[in-house]
Amino acid sequence: MTLEELVPCDSSKMQAVSEAVERVLVAAQRQDRLTVGVYESAKLMNVDPDSVVLCVLATDEEDEGDIALQIHFTLIQAFCCDNDIHILRVSGMQRLADILGEPEPGSEPRDLHCLLVTNPHTDSWKSQALAEVATYCAESRDRNQWVP
């Protein structure tokens, strides 16, 4: 039995959340509030966990057998839960690359497995899309789904 069979999924809601996540990621990147990469994310969470408002963990089927990546994900998820950081697990690394665009020419390819969205310590950044994603994460936790 799959999670989808246990917890029915409203496809229109999932589509809305997916679009909200895309808007959040694009806005965060534009405003230089997006941290990309497992190691970079771990460093940021160690230094300033209070600034992180969303953690997106991404994999594709070929990543499922990567034990080191799964261990990193488990540790990141635990840290996020301890620090009340919303977590989303997504698939579709190519879609993330399309949303975030190509890295600058001559730079290393980006590790899109972990993305952190930070919020400045002021209330100057209000985002309806982030509110939608946060609501979805909270509802998922209420249904005993540890990570949506």
Side-chain angles (χ1 to χ4, degrees), residues 90-109:
V90 300
S91 59
M93 299 286 290
Q94 186 55 52
R95 179 70 185 131
L96 279 176
D98 293 343
I99 292 167
L100 298 175
E102 296 298 321
E104 295 185 21
S107 64
E108 291 185 28

Side-chain angles (χ1 to χ4, degrees), residues 49-67:
D50 294 335
S51 71
V52 180
V53 294
L54 177 65
C55 175
V56 178
L57 300 175
T59 59
D60 279 331
E61 283 184 30
E62 60 265 11
D63 296 320
E64 294 301 321
D66 186 340
I67 300 301

Side-chain angles (χ1 to χ4, degrees), residues 75-147:
L75 294 172
I76 289 169
Q77 288 172 348
F79 188 89
C80 289
C81 286
D82 285 348
N83 288 279
D84 296 322
I85 298 169
H86 295 298
I87 312 164
L88 283 176
R89 289 209 53 168
V90 300
S91 59
M93 299 286 290
Q94 186 55 52
R95 179 70 185 131
L96 279 176
D98 293 343
I99 292 167
L100 298 175
E102 296 298 321
E104 295 185 21
S107 64
E108 291 185 28
R110 295 183 292 183
D111 171 15
L112 299 176
H113 288 104
C114 184
L115 306 171
L116 295 182
V117 176
T118 57
N119 200 13
H121 290 289
T122 66
D123 289 336
S124 64
W125 187 67
K126 299 286 185 190
S127 166
Q128 179 62 33
L130 184 58
E132 287 177 44
V133 172
T135 299
Y136 173 74
C137 289
E139 289 171 356
S140 296
R141 280 192 308 274
D142 290 344
R143 290 190 314 258
N144 294 320
Q145 225 181 304
W146 188 43
V147 178

